[in-house]
Amino acid sequence: MSDLLVMKFGGTSMGSAERIRVAARLITEQSARRPVVVVVSAMSKVTDLLLDSLRKAEAGDQADLDTNLEMLSARHRECCCGLLPESRQREAINGVEALIAEFARIAKGVMMLGERPPRSVDEAVAVGERLSAYLMAGHMESEGMPAVAVNAAEVIATDAVFGNATPLMDATRTRAAAVLRPLLDQHKVPVVTGFNGSTLDGRPTTLGRGGSDFSASILAAVLDAAELWIWTDVDGIMSGDPRLVSDARVLPEITYAEAAELAYNGAKVLHPRTLAPLAQRGIPVWSKNSFAPEKPGTRILPSVDAGHGPHAVTSMTDVALVSMEPASSVVSGTRVMARALDGLARANVEILAFTSSSYRQSFCFLVRQSELERAREFLEEDLALELVHGYLKPIEVDADVALIAVVGEGMRGTPGLAGRIFTAISRHDINIIAIAQGSSELTIAIVVRRGGLELAVRAIHGEF
Ligand code: ADP
Ligand code: ASP
Ligand code: MG
């Protein structure tokens, strides 16, 4: 393993000229000691603005599209002026305008088509990250720190699932060696765009919202990095979402498995797929605050001294509970379950939690609301005969629910925790709709009414 450090800066850490200056100083400090690869997100809110612009284009709304493009341009031009000496500003602004023109060209195509083909969307939204990589590298160069902006479409190879692509690690390793190693050998800092990649035949892709964390972990893995530092706007990974739990505290150390459980169950601080490439190679990760770099942050490791009890509670809204139940004993519940799961797999719908009862053979599962319609379509088609003949009760959907996950290695084999969690919730008169605990005992997932979510999260956090 090399001494290479990968540093990722999120949207707020790249959110203004002042923030980019701070980030550049953090990079400079480290690159004086060891080779560094930087991964950057788009400036905060820029990805939302780009996606909104494409929707405006699809709707044929030229005036609103122009307003958005002007906002995009003004924000990045202002940043150029705040970051660069006057002698370099003209050229940098031209570079910014050229990238925005690329976006505008795709938006125009979307307007003419009256639709947003997923691959055009991926090509277009990556412009946000390309702008911030361009600004960061330009600023570093102007401060005498050799840096080169790199479009991750040249580095990260993925499958062709536009909007949520999966990396092809071997091909990415080859590309990274060809593109990034020579820069490192010349003592230049590659500033790579987060979020995007491309298929083997060169079509642009993205890794899903919040995907820059994942980009950084993919690069850390294929470059055999010594560490990955993820710079964000909070002091590390916390025992609860700081927006919900005012007394949430920073966790000094957690395991890959805990971090992955938290991320999969809604903790926005990490993209859910970030941990897998690192865990395989045991590369340590730090989550750190670029607004308070002196604070230690959270270290994510293969194992930690777990103690007894949960480490953190997280939650997810925008989910829906789907319930299914055979209406007749002629139908095997297990077979219905198997076919339902098969349908969901083919629909590419992720199951967030699953529970079943053995006697009535009913079962329910939680999915994202964004995937609900697709799930329902596949289920109703696959089980059409059973539904029509009344062997299966109509599929029930409850979208007024939320998921809470209580996570911790220390929950394994510790009796009484579930009881304390449920008592804490019930003190607030909140009804539990469904419960799931995997046999790893790492996570207890609880489904409650959406309206009771905040109170329940605080009650559980307070209890532990
Ligand atoms: P970035 O742009 O740096 O990737 P994100 O906004 O994606 O940052 O993620 C950081 C945010 O995640 C924090 O500002 C915080 O509000 C939210 N968050 C949710 N759950 C947690 C948690 N358990 N610990 C820390 N932050 C959390
Ligand atoms: N800019 C992208 C997003 O907002 C990726 C990221 O920030 O991680 O989803
Ligand atoms: Mg993020």
Side-chain angles (χ1 to χ4, degrees), residues 24-61:
R25 276 203 293 278
L26 295 169
I27 297 165
T28 310
E29 253 169 54
Q30 293 305 315
S31 65
R33 297 179 204 161
R34 46 178 161 173
V36 172
V37 169
V38 173
V39 175
V40 292
S41 290
M43 297 177 81
S44 50
K45 311 253 164 57
V46 162
T47 306
D48 288 338
L49 182 67
L50 295 173
L51 288 168
D52 182 63
S53 305
L54 294 174
R55 281 191 292 271
K56 299 274 155 58
E58 182 182 33
D61 198 337

Side-chain angles (χ1 to χ4, degrees), residues 62 78 128 179 191 200 204 230 270 288 303 327 365 377 402 404 451:
Q62 183 75 58
E78 186 190 322
V179 178
V191 181
L200 291 175
I230 296 183
L270 281 179
K288 291 168 84 71
S303 67
F365 50 86
E377 237 170 67
I404 301 174

Side-chain angles (χ1 to χ4, degrees), residues 193-349:
T193 57
F195 190 38
N196 69 325
S198 71
T199 60
L200 291 175
D201 55 358
R203 290 170 291 160
T205 53
T206 59
L207 304 168
R209 291 307 306 270
S212 298
D213 300 327
F214 192 25
S215 309
S217 87
I218 295 164
L219 292 181
V222 299
L223 293 167
D224 298 312
E227 282 184 15
L228 166 60
W229 293 8
I230 296 183
W231 292 96
T232 184
D233 58 0
V234 284
D235 288 346
I237 297 175
M238 306 176 80
S239 55
D241 182 341
R243 289 164 302 183
L244 284 187
V245 184
S246 58
D247 57 348
R249 39 178 206 89
V250 179
L251 302 167
E253 288 188 332
I254 60 171
T255 65
Y256 294 123
E258 287 174 321
E261 287 284 337
L262 286 172
Y264 266 102
N265 289 295
K268 193 187 167 219
V269 64
L270 281 179
H271 183 276
R273 292 157 86 191
T274 308
L275 282 313
L278 303 164
Q280 274 164 16
R281 290 169 182 79
I283 299 172
V285 192
W286 288 87
S287 165
K288 291 168 84 71
N289 190 351
S290 74
F291 291 74
E294 68 291 352
K295 294 196 177 156
T298 299
R299 191 164 186 216
I300 311 174
L301 298 160
S303 67
V304 300
D305 184 11
H308 296 286
H311 254 152
V313 52
T314 183
S315 61
M316 217 166 164
T317 52
D318 298 326
V319 292
L321 191 69
V322 181
S323 303
M324 298 178 65
E325 184 176 344
S328 143
S329 56
V330 188
V331 194
S332 148
T334 310
R335 186 152 298 152
V336 174
M337 232 180 264
R339 290 181 44 205
L341 292 176
D342 180 57
L344 293 170
R346 280 185 292 106
N348 212 359
V349 169

